[in-house]
């Protein structure tokens, strides 16, 4: 039985003004999903060899729209919307100044996104979401990216400001777990995005404006991956926030351990940045010693995910047994399988088991030689970000949006959300499965349909490319379904109160050591590890720089 006080706590609402800011971000995220998702469908159709794009639209043009809108825009905007709501819900309403920073950040990011997206749509920047040099985009594309990064810092400062205020008002106490997690994620983001900011401002912008003729490709890719790998954890950590803090409440249980959750987040801060070389294992110009070192650090960053898996299993088992589940697996049946807020992220968690195993294969130096630049890697990130992360975000949207709009998820919408997740999992298994298998046969990633001059090996890939189109079509149906549910929650669902679920820590958990919130210690270790992993190889790259490259426009 919940007491009146507990019920009142459950109904703590995100302040209406903070909710508006969060919703503004969420709108942009779902617009990006609609356009980016359509481009994804077109891509798989083109690659199947059965469809040609009309009106002179290029394959790499839609591939760039797809990657930028889904990989960068959908994720960043949903994360910011979710984090703003999470901080406001757990640490209190934002001050006017913090909220103003949030709005300024939002508009700077949105102006930047619009500028970059326009250049991509005009076919002036078909450089894919990694915008590797020497492919050269229009300068407005890079300027837009710079604005997105600066905007994220401004918006992030508002969220961090609330945390600082909370700690000042509550000296000696552990901060609310969800706010703490947001601050770890933002700290990681700020430290890593400095790399891509340097790349864009000092290398790509002057080069695309014609102020310099040539670009150092090796350095630019190194700066990109210094940012690019933590970027994937910037996507993952909000999903982990939902798993650690929201899911226990949704299933009626408790957070297994506050200390373990904080430790796992801090380990991400330490180990997710000095590992970018695992994307450059076949790159000439970096000595194998530094590659090996960063592979070791990559395997370290697997540990917090294993801690998370342990913690989730513990949460589920304890709750299932409390509900009377017996035997080795009896507790499993007791979980609330009919509740979309649980089942949708759960499917994401289950997908992370093969997805994470694939990541460990990628990171293994020798095995990377086999999979690098094949479509296996595309299969990997469609399981990690496009299933684990995205399904968790969809599951969160099903309570977050109605919480912010003052509506409710009806029984029919709950059912549709479950069907949506099953459709997604089915479509993704076909698409990502085909990508993994044919990647092992050598099929390249980032490539338009080609028979490669009638080569027998390329002919073997075609059935898998058709399977990818079948999976992609099913996934597109999944996108239509989720957009339908989101529109319902935004504008049409019945009015009512929806909870923003925030779990409580189990009474059996160990007390959280305050050292876990000693930022001086953790940021010092974080910076020391980055300097250790990058200083010597970057100096070497600059001293023995390869000849620069002029820009290429191959589209
Ligand atoms: Fe990755 C390439 C290595 C995780 C995203 N990755 C990429 C790219 C993207 C990406 C976008 O080392 C392509 C970039 C490009 O365009 O070139 N990745 C890893 C490793 C991990 C990993 C070691 N990746 C992710 C995550 C991503 C992501 C997370 C997005 C969100 N990745 C690589 C490497 C490459 C790479 C190389 C470069 C390849 C190349 O050559 O180009 C690890 O973090 C994975 C650890 C995860 C686990 C799984 C733990 C399981 C959990 C679930 C528990 C389940 C429960 C439910 C409780 C060890 C936590 C129970 C359910 C039941 C049914 C029982």
């Amino acid at each position: 039985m919940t007491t009146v006080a507990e019920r009142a706590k459950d109904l703590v609402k995100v302040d209406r003004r903070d909710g508006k800011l969060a919703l503004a971000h969420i709108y942009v995220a779902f617009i990006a999903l609609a356009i980016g998702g359509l481009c994804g469908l077109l891509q798989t159709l083109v690659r199947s060899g059965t469809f040609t794009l009309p009106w002179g639209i290029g394959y790499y043009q839609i591939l760039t729209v797809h990657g930028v809108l889904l990989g960068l825009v959908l994720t960043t905007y949903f994360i910011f919307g979710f984090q703003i709501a999470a901080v406001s819900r757990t640490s209190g309403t934002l001050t006017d100044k913090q909220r103003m920073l949030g709005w300024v950040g939002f508009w700077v990011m949105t102006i930047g996104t619009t500028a970059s997206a326009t250049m991509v749509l005009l076919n002036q920047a078909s450089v894919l979401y990694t915008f590797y040099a020497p492919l050269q985009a229009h300068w407005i594309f890079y300027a837009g990216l710079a604005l997105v990064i600066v905007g994220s810092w401004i918006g992030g400062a508002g969220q961090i400001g609330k945390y600082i205020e909370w700690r000042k008002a509550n000296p000696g106490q552990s901060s609310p777990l969800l706010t703490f997690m947001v601050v770890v994620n933002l700290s990681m983001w700020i430290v890593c995005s400095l790399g891509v900011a340097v790349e864009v401002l000092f290398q790509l912008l002057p080069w695309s404006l014609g102020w310099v003729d040539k670009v150092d490709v090796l350095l630019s890719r190194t700066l990109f991956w210094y940012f690019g790998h933590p970027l994937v954890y910037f996507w993952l950590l909000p999903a982990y926030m939902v798993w650690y803090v929201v899911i226990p409440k949704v299933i009626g249980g408790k957070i297994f351990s506050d200390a373990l959750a904080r430790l796992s987040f801090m380990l991400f801060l330490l180990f997710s940045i000095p590992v970018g070389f695992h994307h450059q294992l076949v790159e000439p110009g970096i000595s194998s010693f530094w590659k090996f070192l960063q592979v070791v650090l990559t395997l370290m960053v697997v540990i917090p995910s294993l801690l998370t898996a342990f913690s989730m299993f513990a949460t589920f088992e304890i709750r299932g047994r409390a509900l009377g589940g017996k035997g080795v697996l009896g507790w499993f049946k007791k979980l609330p399988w009919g509740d979309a807020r649980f089942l949708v992220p759960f499917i994401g968690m289950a997908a992370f088991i093969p997805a994470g195993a694939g990541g460990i294969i990628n990171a293994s130096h020798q095995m990377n030689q086999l999979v690098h630049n094949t479509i296996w890697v595309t299969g990997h990130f469609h399981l990690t970000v496009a299933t684990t992360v995205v399904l968790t975000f969809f599951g969160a949207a099903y309570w977050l949006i109605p919480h912010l709009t003052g509506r409710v998820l009806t029984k029919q919408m709950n059912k549709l959300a479950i069907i949506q997740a099953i459709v997604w999992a089915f479509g993704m298994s076909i698409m990502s499965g085909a990508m993994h298998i044919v990647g092992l046969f050598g099929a390249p990633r980032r490539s338009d349909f080609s028979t490669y001059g009638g080569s027998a090996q390329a002919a073997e890939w075609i059935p898998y490319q058709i399977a990818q189109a079948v999976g992609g079509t099913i996934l597109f149906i999944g996108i239509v379904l989720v957009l339908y549910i989101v529109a319902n929650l935004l504008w049409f669902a019945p009015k009512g109160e929806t909870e923003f679920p925030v779990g409580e820590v189990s009474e059996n958990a160990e007390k959280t050591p305050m050292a876990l919130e000693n930022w001086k210690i953790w940021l010092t270790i974080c910076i020391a590890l980055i300097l250790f992993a990058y200083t010597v190889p970057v100096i070497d790259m600059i001293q023995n720089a390869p000849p620069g490259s002029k820009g290429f426009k191959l589209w």
Side-chain angles (χ1 to χ4, degrees):
M1 278 285 281
T2 45
T3 64
V4 176
E6 273 167 350
R7 272 203 303 277
K9 218 157 122 203
D10 290 347
L11 283 177
V12 175
K13 294 244 348 148
V14 170
D15 180 272
R16 205 179 48 80
R17 292 157 301 171
D18 298 347
K20 228 171 133 188
L21 176 60
L23 269 178
H25 288 83
I26 291 172
Y27 272 113
V28 180
F30 283 99
I31 293 171
L33 176 67
I35 306 171
L38 177 64
C39 291
L41 171 67
L42 295 176
Q43 250 162 261
T44 55
L45 294 178
V46 172
R47 267 188 80 115
S48 70
T50 55
F51 176 76
T52 314
L53 288 166
W55 311 307
I57 300 173
Y59 175 79
Y60 296 101
Q61 195 178 352
I62 54 163
L63 181 55
T64 309
V65 179
H66 174 72
V68 170
L69 286 187
L70 297 189
L72 305 179
V73 179
L74 162 71
T75 47
T76 310
Y77 277 84
F78 188 86
I79 290 167
F80 267 60
F82 168 75
Q83 290 192 166
I84 289 161
V87 169
S88 172
R89 163 73 171 84
T90 54
S91 293
T93 302
L94 302 183
T95 63
D96 290 346
K97 197 172 147 206
Q98 290 155 2
R99 195 174 313 108
M100 206 244 315
L101 284 171
W103 279 113
V104 174
F106 171 79
W107 283 113
V108 173
M109 280 193 344
T110 306
I111 292 168
T113 303
T114 313
S116 298
T118 308
M119 286 300 121
V120 178
L121 291 171
L122 292 176
N123 205 16
Q124 296 291 316
S126 299
V127 290
L128 313 192
Y129 88 110
T130 40
F131 49 94
Y132 274 170
L135 288 180
Q136 192 184 56
H138 193 283
W139 68 267
I140 294 180
F141 173 79
Y142 301 118
L145 291 181
L147 286 179
V148 173
I149 296 159
V150 172
S152 73
W153 292 342
I154 301 172
Q159 298 164 42
I160 295 175
K162 184 83 227 168
Y163 169 76
I164 295 173
E165 182 199 326
W166 192 97
R167 291 212 57 200
K168 274 196 192 133
N170 301 275
Q173 286 185 46
S174 254
S175 60
L177 181 56
L178 209 45
T179 302
F180 169 85
M181 291 170 152
V182 167
V183 175
V184 174
N185 201 27
L186 286 171
S187 308
M188 185 177 79
W189 171 255
I190 291 167
V191 176
C192 79
S193 54
L194 286 171
V196 74
V198 170
E199 182 201 5
V200 169
L201 289 179
F202 296 103
Q203 289 194 288
L204 303 181
L205 252 181
W207 173 64
S208 61
L209 281 163
W211 296 346
V212 292
D213 290 343
K214 295 194 169 165
V215 69
D216 179 342
V217 172
L218 176 59
L219 186 63
S220 76
R221 286 160 70 120
T222 302
L223 287 168
F224 181 84
W225 285 117
Y226 165 88
F227 155 80
H229 198 73
L231 169 71
V232 312
Y233 295 117
F234 173 71
W235 301 332
L236 180 70
L237 292 194
Y240 277 11
M241 294 177 204
V242 174
W243 298 5
Y244 272 113
V245 181
V246 173
I247 295 290
K249 184 68 201 286
V250 168
I251 65 172
K254 295 267 168 83
I255 297 171
F256 173 66
S257 162
D258 176 280
L260 186 139
R262 284 179 206 252
L263 175 68
S264 126
F265 269 61
M266 276 308 184
L267 292 178
F268 274 112
L269 177 64
L270 301 191
F271 292 111
S272 62
I273 305 173
V275 295
F277 285 171
H278 72 224
H279 292 263
Q280 297 175 278
L281 291 175
V282 297
E283 183 102 51
I286 305 169
S287 101
S288 51
F289 171 79
W290 296 106
K291 288 179 180 169
F292 173 75
L293 181 98
Q294 294 212 10
V295 162
V296 173
L297 292 172
T298 304
L299 296 175
M300 293 295 289
V301 80
V302 170
I303 293 172
S305 281
L306 295 176
L307 292 179
T308 306
F310 172 79
S311 184
M312 295 320 298
F313 273 113
T315 305
F316 295 153
E317 182 174 353
I318 292 169
R319 178 61 185 155
R321 290 201 187 281
L323 291 173
K326 299 266 181 305
V328 182
L329 288 176
W331 52 271
F332 197 68
K333 292 195 212 128
K334 298 282 176 186
L335 298 172
W337 298 109
D339 186 339
R341 297 171 308 160
F342 164 69
L343 182 66
V344 179
F346 183 88
I347 296 177
M349 286 180 209
F352 203 38
I353 297 176
I360 296 170
I361 290 172
N362 297 345
S364 309
H365 202 154
Q366 289 83 347
M367 280 194 271
N368 186 267
Q369 316 291 309
L370 182 69
V371 298
H372 183 68
N373 273 345
T374 71
I375 202 161
W376 158 286
V377 175
T378 318
H380 163 68
F381 68 70
H382 277 86
L383 276 189
T384 48
V385 62
T387 309
T388 302
V389 169
V390 161
L391 280 184
T392 304
F393 288 179
F394 290 169
Y398 299 148
W399 52 260
L400 181 59
I401 297 178
H403 178 88
L404 300 175
T405 54
R407 298 180 185 271
V408 288
L409 182 76
T410 58
K411 272 203 178 119
Q412 291 98 309
M413 284 300 138
N414 182 68
K415 213 169 171 188
L416 196 60
I418 290 176
I419 295 172
Q420 193 280 337
I422 294 169
V423 167
W424 195 273
F426 183 58
M428 192 59 87
S429 306
I430 298 176
M431 191 181 84
S432 172
M435 287 173 166
H436 275 94
I437 298 171
V438 76
L440 293 179
F441 296 162
R445 64 180 287 207
R446 305 187 186 101
S447 63
D448 198 350
F449 177 77
S450 170
T451 58
Y452 295 89
S455 110
Q457 191 184 5
E460 273 182 25
W461 303 334
I462 293 176
Y464 294 91
Q465 287 163 198
I466 291 173
Q468 286 161 34
V470 171
T473 308
I474 299 172
L475 280 165
F476 188 70
I477 297 171
I479 290 183
V480 173
L481 290 178
V482 74
L483 290 173
Y484 178 75
I485 303 168
V486 165
N488 176 274
L489 295 173
L490 282 170
W491 303 301
F492 306 111
K495 292 272 178 196
E497 292 291 334
T498 296
E499 179 194 3
F500 183 140
V502 175
E504 280 176 30
V505 179
S506 157
E507 38 296 320
N508 299 324
E510 295 284 332
K511 202 172 158 322
T512 305
M514 277 310 285
L516 282 171
E517 215 152 339
N518 188 333
W519 290 91
K520 279 193 196 120
I521 301 180
W522 300 103
L523 283 172
T524 308
I525 304 177
C526 166
I527 289 164
L529 278 171
I530 293 170
L531 292 176
F532 176 50
Y534 273 107
T535 310
V536 175
V538 168
I539 291 178
D540 188 42
M541 268 172 217
I542 294 170
Q543 280 179 343
N544 302 300
S549 173
K550 66 182 182 71
F552 288 88
K553 291 192 176 79
L554 300 176
W555 59 90

